Amino acid sequence: MVRYAATPANPAKASKSRGSYLRVHFKNTHEVAAAIKGLKLSKAYAYLNNVTEHKQAIPFRKFNGGVGRTSQVREFGTTQGRWPVKSVKFVNDLLKNAESNAEAKGLNVEELYISSIVVNQAPKHRRRTYRAHGRINPFMSSPCHIEIILTEKDEVVSRAADKKVVKLNARQLARNARLNRA
């Protein structure tokens, strides 16, 4: 078994999926993961589909140097955003894998939400590019590891209505006794 970055509170109600050494940009995938963390599975699918069709954008918050502005990210309270289609495809495939793992476990797919999604950097792939005057520069790719944990929502238990116990000190008890006699 491979160790995951996060452990679900109730492993019986969770399903996992991971991809290692995926050749997709780490920074873009990090922003996609941050955008869908905590969403219900059906909402995440719809959102990622809209990103692919350029109807909604992924807000870029951390790795946002040189990222253009778009009004589509106004709903998230920021100005910079992009539509990283390749990252969306990789995350979507991992979500489908986690969903099928949940079905195999017998979990209710409608109640699943993304409780944890972690993106880590993988070792860079090295290529070379040829420059002027006979020089050579590195031409690196930045792959990543992605792991997803889907968890079934627990039923919310309402708190029992307890009768509030009023605690009185000795002076208040004596005063109440005196008033009751009169």
Side-chain angles (χ1 to χ4, degrees):
M1 285 290 289
V2 184
R3 192 173 159 275
Y4 276 71
T7 53
N10 187 357
K13 289 200 165 195
S15 71
K16 303 176 189 177
S17 174
R18 73 184 291 145
S20 297
Y21 306 99
L22 302 175
R23 192 152 186 182
V24 59
H25 291 310
F26 161 72
K27 291 182 179 181
N28 290 349
T29 311
H30 174 276
E31 297 294 353
V32 170
I36 66 168
K37 184 177 181 183
L39 291 182
K40 284 191 77 165
L41 189 59
S42 54
K43 259 193 163 178
Y45 280 142
Y47 176 51
L48 294 177
N49 190 36
N50 285 343
V51 170
T52 306
E53 296 169 358
H54 281 60
K55 292 179 183 171
Q56 282 185 294
I58 299 286
F60 275 55
R61 299 178 193 277
K62 185 173 184 182
F63 301 108
N64 60 357
V67 174
R69 297 179 293 188
T70 176
S71 63
Q72 289 185 1
V73 292
R74 195 177 294 150
E75 64 181 298
F76 306 108
T78 187
T79 55
Q80 293 172 295
R82 279 184 176 166
W83 301 267
V85 173
K86 188 174 178 183
S87 294
V88 165
K89 181 190 175 303
F90 274 79
V91 170
N92 214 347
D93 291 344
L94 279 174
L95 283 174
K96 283 185 181 141
N97 183 243
E99 180 185 5
S100 62
N101 291 345
E103 281 178 15
K105 264 186 156 180
L107 300 177
N108 185 4
V109 178
E110 281 79 41
E111 293 296 315
L112 291 176
Y113 75 101
I114 302 168
S115 60
S116 170
I117 179 165
V118 179
V119 180
N120 292 319
Q121 291 184 16
K124 287 181 162 57
H125 293 168
R126 205 172 245 293
R127 288 185 287 171
R128 49 170 49 175
T129 184
Y130 299 92
R131 310 305 296 262
H133 311 297
R135 293 174 300 131
I136 295 173
N137 280 24
F139 201 72
M140 314 283 269
S141 70
S142 302
C144 62
H145 308 303
I146 310 170
E147 51 189 58
I148 297 175
I149 299 177
L150 303 179
T151 310
E152 202 176 84
K153 281 260 193 229
D154 294 328
E155 292 106 30
V156 178
V157 180
S158 61
R159 190 172 181 170
D162 295 348
K163 189 173 179 185
K164 184 113 179 170
V165 178
V166 180
K167 295 200 174 188
L168 303 174
N169 61 25
R171 185 173 47 87
Q172 292 168 328
L173 287 170
R175 180 176 181 268
N176 286 350
R178 192 174 63 245
L179 290 174
N180 287 340
R181 277 185 277 155

